[in-house]
Amino acid sequence: MGRRSTHTPQQLRELILEAAQEIIQSQGLAGLSAREIARRISYSPGTIYNMFQNLDDVVLNVEARVLDALDARLTAVLKGDGDTVGRIERLAHAYLSFTQENPRLWNLLFEHHMPAGTDLPSWYQQKLEGLMARVEEALAPMFPAGREADRQRAARVLWAGVHGITSLSTADKLSIVTTDGANRLIDDLIGTYLAGLRGAESGAGAQEAHSAKP
Amino acid sequence: MGRRSTHTPQQLRELILEAAQEIIQSQGLAGLSAREIARRISYSPGTIYNMFQNLDDVVLNVEARVLDALDARLTAVLKGDGDTVGRIERLAHAYLSFTQENPRLWNLLFEHHMPAGTDLPSWYQQKLEGLMARVEEALAPMFPAGREADRQRAARVLWAGVHGITSLSTADKLSIVTTDGANRLIDDLIGTYLAGLRGAESGAGAQEAHSAKP
DNA sequence: GGTCATGGGACGTCGTTCGACGCATACGCC
DNA sequence: GGCGTATGCGTCGAACGACGTCCCATGACC
């Protein structure tokens, strides 16, 4: 069979990723197969291997799309204004909504592993750091200059905490009945943790939450 | 080939689960196959289907063993005494150590999903609640009688928070370099969250879900 | 001798490879 | 410029080994 010239290589890549994403979205990673992708885009399985190294490579690129979509969502939410706590809560709830709207795509990020011996590509790590940067950004007003390390740690703790609540709740492993439960837990985490942060600050006299340092 | 009578059904089950656990431990869930289990225990693949419904069933029972092992570890850690915060931190670090010693077994709990339409069995949910009960237990001294709902929420938030840190850290998705990083984040979470709890208590006499922000 | 655990082949699936095919393009020739 | 041929390479689909699962003749135990 000769070349078709119906799609440019770039279009073909997108076609494959789009199909793969749809399959994962509706049937989970376990439902993904090279043959099923090929069927959907009316190409043969072999063609996929012209564009990607293997199925893992396809999956990794779908993950990239998911991370981008999540980042877009968080970025949009940060556009509005409001007090610091409110912004953080909006971020967290946006994260939770995203995972609830796209549970299988989000699960993909954690159930798919690189074959042994190969690390995550650096662009992947950069996308992760970009997400974390959103939290640090929202957290910035609470930390005076010079406390970047503290801000970074707080951002990671909150990010991981929200992730944990989200993860256990979508996996149905937190003994939570309602969706609302996860939202409440997130508010509790953020409210209480930030209260603890402020308490430590004022208690130690090192810094004040919202006021400028003398 | 006739019956062997070299193993009782119960022994055979254990043999299968043991082999499956070893495979997952060394190669991850993706490396597990009925044929590989059969090879290791010197039975044929068909025999596995006499003892278990299918491979998912085998995996689910391996998960049960992992949950039991984790529970035993947490229980042992709670035996000692110390102040409340110390006990909680010991719990959390025990959880983290367990996941670091058995990363693939622990991952199993989250990368394996029930086939669509079937829920987690109730005994599985009970094991999860048993784990959560450990946290509530350690948290008990901080809550007066009548605040069981608050204690339950705090336990879930802390459990999920530690889980999130652990999860992202073992998946290498928290931009953490050292193992020590995860430990520090956990201490920060517990210390700061509990400080926030205490602040809310002394301020309002009792904490409330959303009003924890002063 | 009857029961039934067991072995192992069968079926349809999978990921991945690879050589043959034939379309799109480039070139040679008139 | 037009036409025929040669070349390159995108594409197909068969092939391979491994997979989950099913099935039933077999033959070891009671």
Side-chain angles (χ1 to χ4, degrees):
Chain A
M1 310 300 178
R3 102 179 33 171
R4 287 187 183 172
S5 84
T6 47
H7 296 106
T8 68
Q10 196 46 243
Q11 286 175 323
L12 194 44
R13 275 183 73 94
E14 290 302 316
L15 224 52
I16 291 172
L17 293 180
E18 198 74 44
Q21 180 168 329
E22 278 169 16
I23 294 169
I24 294 171
Q25 211 151 15
S26 62
Q27 316 178 34
L29 179 57
L32 184 73
S33 80
R35 286 175 167 88
E36 177 63 20
I37 296 175
R39 268 189 289 273
R40 291 199 183 208
I41 64 176
S42 301
Y43 275 81
S44 83
T47 296
I48 295 172
Y49 290 81
N50 286 339
M51 310 306 301
F52 296 92
Q53 205 177 345
N54 49 39
L55 258 202
D56 271 329
D57 191 18
V58 175
V59 172
L60 201 64
N61 279 277
V62 174
E63 290 185 59
R65 295 168 137 246
V66 176
L67 289 174
D68 286 342
L70 178 54
D71 191 85
R73 183 78 80 88
L74 298 190
T75 301
V77 148
L78 272 186
K79 282 228 173 73
D81 41 44
D83 65 333
T84 303
V85 177
R87 287 165 66 83
I88 301 257
E89 283 179 346
R90 283 217 308 275
L91 258 193
H93 290 156
Y95 183 97
L96 179 63
S97 315
F98 183 86
T99 66
Q100 286 170 343
E101 291 163 24
N102 313 282
R104 292 193 226 263
L105 286 180
W106 179 69
N107 266 328
L108 180 64
L109 300 177
F110 302 100
E111 65 183 301
H112 177 246
H113 301 309
M114 293 279 87
T118 64
D119 288 336
L120 288 171
S122 66
W123 57 257
Y124 194 108
Q125 292 284 354
Q126 278 163 18
K127 281 182 197 295
L128 291 177
E129 281 165 28
L131 289 171
M132 186 80 72
R134 301 294 168 208
V135 187
E136 289 193 41
E137 184 183 334
L139 225 40
M142 286 193 65
F143 291 85
R147 314 296 306 194
E148 283 79 13
D150 292 334
R151 186 186 62 181
Q152 199 174 72
R153 181 165 52 242
R156 285 176 183 179
V157 168
L158 283 176
W159 175 258
V162 171
H163 166 73
I165 292 171
T166 302
S167 164
L168 292 180
S169 129
T170 65
D172 205 25
K173 286 175 176 168
L174 241 191
S175 320
I176 283 182
V177 187
T178 63
T179 293
D180 207 43
N183 273 308
R184 257 202 275 275
L185 291 185
I186 284 178
D187 286 338
D188 181 80
L189 166 69
I190 294 175
T192 306
Y193 181 84
L194 293 186
L197 267 190
R198 278 192 291 265
E201 281 163 10
S202 60
Q207 52 192 315
E208 200 75 32
H210 289 279
S211 57
K213 212 180 169 189
Chain B
M1 311 299 180
R3 105 183 30 171
R4 285 185 184 176
S5 85
T6 47
H7 296 106
T8 68
Q10 197 46 244
Q11 285 176 324
L12 195 42
R13 276 183 74 93
E14 288 304 313
L15 223 52
I16 292 171
L17 292 179
E18 198 74 43
Q21 180 168 329
E22 280 169 16
I23 295 168
I24 293 171
Q25 210 151 16
S26 62
Q27 316 178 35
L29 179 57
L32 184 72
S33 80
R35 286 175 165 85
E36 177 63 19
I37 296 175
R39 268 189 291 273
R40 291 200 184 208
I41 64 175
S42 302
Y43 275 81
S44 82
T47 295
I48 296 173
Y49 289 82
N50 288 337
M51 312 305 303
F52 296 93
Q53 206 178 345
N54 50 38
L55 257 203
D56 271 328
D57 192 17
V58 175
V59 172
L60 201 65
N61 279 276
V62 174
E63 291 186 59
R65 295 169 136 245
V66 177
L67 289 174
D68 286 342
L70 179 54
D71 192 84
R73 183 77 82 88
L74 298 191
T75 302
V77 148
L78 273 186
K79 281 229 173 73
D81 42 45
D83 65 333
T84 304
V85 177
R87 288 164 67 82
I88 300 258
E89 282 178 347
R90 284 217 308 276
L91 258 194
H93 290 157
Y95 183 98
L96 179 62
S97 312
F98 183 86
T99 68
Q100 285 171 342
E101 290 162 23
N102 312 283
R104 293 196 224 262
L105 286 180
W106 180 70
N107 267 329
L108 180 65
L109 300 177
F110 302 100
E111 64 184 302
H112 176 248
H113 301 309
M114 293 281 88
T118 63
D119 288 337
L120 287 171
S122 66
W123 57 257
Y124 194 109
Q125 291 286 355
Q126 277 164 20
K127 280 182 198 295
L128 292 177
E129 282 166 27
L131 289 170
M132 187 81 72
R134 302 292 169 208
V135 187
E136 290 194 41
E137 185 183 334
L139 223 42
M142 286 193 64
F143 291 84
R147 314 299 307 188
E148 283 79 13
D150 292 333
R151 187 186 61 181
Q152 199 174 71
R153 180 166 53 241
R156 285 177 183 177
V157 168
L158 283 175
W159 175 259
V162 170
H163 166 73
I165 293 172
T166 302
S167 165
L168 293 179
S169 136
T170 66
D172 207 25
K173 286 176 176 165
L174 241 189
S175 320
I176 284 182
V177 187
T178 63
T179 291
D180 208 43
N183 273 308
R184 258 201 275 274
L185 291 185
I186 283 177
D187 287 338
D188 181 84
L189 167 67
I190 294 174
T192 306
Y193 180 83
L194 293 186
L197 268 191
R198 275 191 295 266
E201 276 166 14
S202 61
Q207 67 268 21
E208 232 166 299
H210 290 269
S211 63
K213 2 170 182 170

